[in-house]
Amino acid sequence: MSGDLLIVGPAWVGDMVMAQSLFIRLRERHPDAAIDVLAPGWSLPIIERMPEIRAGIELPFGHGEFNFAGRRMLGRSLRERGYGQAIVLPNSWKSAVVPFFADIPRRTGYARELRYGLLNDLRRLDKTLLTTTPQRFVALAEDGRVTAAPAVPQPRFRADAARAVELRERLGLGTGPAVALMPGAEYGPAKQWPAAHYASVAASLGRRGVRSWIIGSKKEQALGESIARAAKGGAINLCGRTSLIDVVDLAADARAVVCNDSGPMHIAAAAGARVIAIYGSSTPDHTPPMTDTRAIHYRRLACSPCFERQCPLKAPGAHLDCLIGVHPDAILASLNVLADL
């Protein structure tokens, strides 16, 4: 391959983190090529923490926005960069438009949504061979069809310890040991461990002198506040007060992270944190936290994984049992093993 590489990145936080496995593999295969990532603006700060990437380029369209004329114009503006190959990670038709109009000679991606012509290096996705999302991303780094599941490098962000100290001071977090709790899940309630369970963990840690940081988006402020109140002084609600890049440095600074299967879970793993991950409607078989210092809680019920946003069951004692049935004591036991808490 000649020329540099353009990657059209995913739209979800967790997928963007897992895409770093592909970037690492591409750097191994093409050490002299520069790698740029075309991605939503929110993701650019975390892309800056990926040492394999030369530059992030903002994709200035809202989630689900088609805007064919805008994508054509953006593609034409990239022609002068002379990319030799584009790898398109989203499966949508519109995601392949920019590389086509950028006149990139080799345009790689999976055969989805009739992208023939827009992509000229189409790959067939064998879901029985490539069972996880990171495997599917990394396989696109190879030339042609893969016949075995590829090794997947673990994502690793550059964490900034000095910045973590500044964040502790600015947010009033003190200097003592802390565990980060990440109770949200953008996908929906069927991936969210109960707030009462998070509060129970925070209260137990508080009695041991360990503060809990509740980290989430502005939309999760009320959720974070309910956990902080129930924890009776053992937790501080940071929901809406931190950026994604703050999450990288705080997760790396915490003794451990307790989280749902979510974008922040993948950020924490890439930051090098000890991760205790709780799965409900999804499965770690597809989107595991990519770190060796982890504990996964997944009940593997007969109805799992359903991949629903809302639990489809209504019977008493069954609704959300995949999550409710994960007891706080099990999470505390994992914290004791992983972080000596």
Side-chain angles (χ1 to χ4, degrees), residues 168 176-180 209-211 213 250-258 272-276 293 335-336 338-341:
R168 277 184 178 254
V179 167
V210 178
R211 175 69 68 88
W213 302 334
L250 289 173
D253 188 52
R255 293 284 293 276
V257 173
V258 179
R274 302 175 181 92
V275 174
I276 291 91
T293 53
L335 283 167
N336 187 49
L338 280 185
D340 194 24
L341 291 173

Side-chain angles (χ1 to χ4, degrees), residues 107-146:
R107 303 180 300 277
T108 303
Y110 288 113
R112 290 288 188 275
E113 290 198 3
L114 298 176
R115 301 194 289 184
Y116 305 98
L118 288 179
L119 299 181
N120 57 11
D121 179 21
L122 283 167
R123 309 290 179 84
R124 183 179 66 86
L125 174 58
D126 184 346
K127 293 183 178 181
T128 61
L129 178 66
L130 304 174
T131 59
T132 71
T133 297
Q135 288 174 345
R136 294 168 187 178
F137 287 166
V138 172
L140 292 174
E142 309 306 320
D143 292 324
R145 179 174 174 266
V146 297

Side-chain angles (χ1 to χ4, degrees), residues 75-100:
R76 288 174 173 172
S77 74
L78 296 176
R79 287 179 179 176
E80 63 184 27
R81 301 198 181 199
Y83 294 112
Q85 182 183 10
I87 297 178
V88 181
L89 297 185
N91 289 324
S92 62
W93 192 89
K94 64 180 181 292
S95 64
V97 170
V98 172
F100 177 81

Side-chain angles (χ1 to χ4, degrees), residues 21-311:
S21 298
L22 166 65
F23 308 153
I24 294 169
R25 178 59 181 145
L26 288 170
R27 171 60 58 235
E28 292 171 350
R29 294 203 66 214
H30 309 289
D32 297 326
I35 305 172
D36 295 340
V37 179
L38 180 65
W42 59 259
S43 68
L44 299 186
I46 63 172
I47 288 172
E48 290 178 1
R49 296 295 185 97
M50 300 179 181
E52 303 79 21
I53 302 306
R54 176 179 67 180
I57 303 168
E58 182 174 3
L59 186 69
F61 311 113
H63 187 64
E65 180 183 353
F66 186 70
N67 196 340
F68 180 82
R71 292 173 190 270
R72 179 178 58 190
M73 184 180 301
L74 176 58
R76 288 174 173 172
S77 74
L78 296 176
R79 287 179 179 176
E80 63 184 27
R81 301 198 181 199
Y83 294 112
Q85 182 183 10
I87 297 178
V88 181
L89 297 185
N91 289 324
S92 62
W93 192 89
K94 64 180 181 292
S95 64
V97 170
V98 172
F100 177 81
F101 282 103
D103 284 344
I104 299 173
R106 182 181 177 190
R107 303 180 300 277
T108 303
Y110 288 113
R112 290 288 188 275
E113 290 198 3
L114 298 176
R115 301 194 289 184
Y116 305 98
L118 288 179
L119 299 181
N120 57 11
D121 179 21
L122 283 167
R123 309 290 179 84
R124 183 179 66 86
L125 174 58
D126 184 346
K127 293 183 178 181
T128 61
L129 178 66
L130 304 174
T131 59
T132 71
T133 297
Q135 288 174 345
R136 294 168 187 178
F137 287 166
V138 172
L140 292 174
E142 309 306 320
D143 292 324
R145 179 174 174 266
V146 297
T147 57
V152 177
Q154 292 182 353
R156 278 297 172 265
F157 292 170
R158 290 183 294 235
D160 189 333
R163 192 169 177 278
V165 173
E166 295 171 4
L167 284 168
R168 277 184 178 254
E169 183 175 355
R170 174 164 62 85
L171 297 170
L173 303 180
T175 59
V179 167
L181 307 181
M182 300 177 178
E186 183 71 20
Y187 186 77
K191 292 178 73 170
Q192 289 182 267
W193 199 45
H197 284 5
Y198 274 107
S200 178
V201 168
S204 295
L205 290 173
R207 290 191 290 270
R208 305 177 192 179
V210 178
R211 175 69 68 88
S212 292
W213 302 334
I214 307 169
I215 296 176
S217 68
K218 188 174 182 179
K219 292 186 295 185
E220 292 152 356
Q221 281 181 325
L223 171 63
E225 191 56 35
S226 70
I227 294 170
R229 282 198 308 268
K232 302 185 184 303
I236 181 169
N237 181 18
L238 299 179
C239 293
R241 299 175 61 191
T242 57
S243 67
L244 279 180
I245 207 63
D246 294 338
V247 175
V248 173
D249 295 327
L250 289 173
D253 188 52
R255 293 284 293 276
V257 173
V258 179
C259 51
N260 307 314
D261 174 23
S262 62
M265 176 194 76
H266 293 288
I267 288 176
R274 302 175 181 92
V275 174
I276 291 91
I278 305 158
Y279 283 75
S281 67
S282 59
T283 168
D285 298 339
H286 288 179
T287 54
M290 297 181 66
T291 174
D292 294 330
T293 53
R294 70 186 190 187
I296 294 174
H297 293 263
Y298 178 50
R299 301 195 66 205
R300 294 192 184 275
L301 302 179
C303 57
S304 300
C306 68
F307 297 111
E308 298 290 339
R309 295 177 184 268
Q310 302 273 351
C311 177

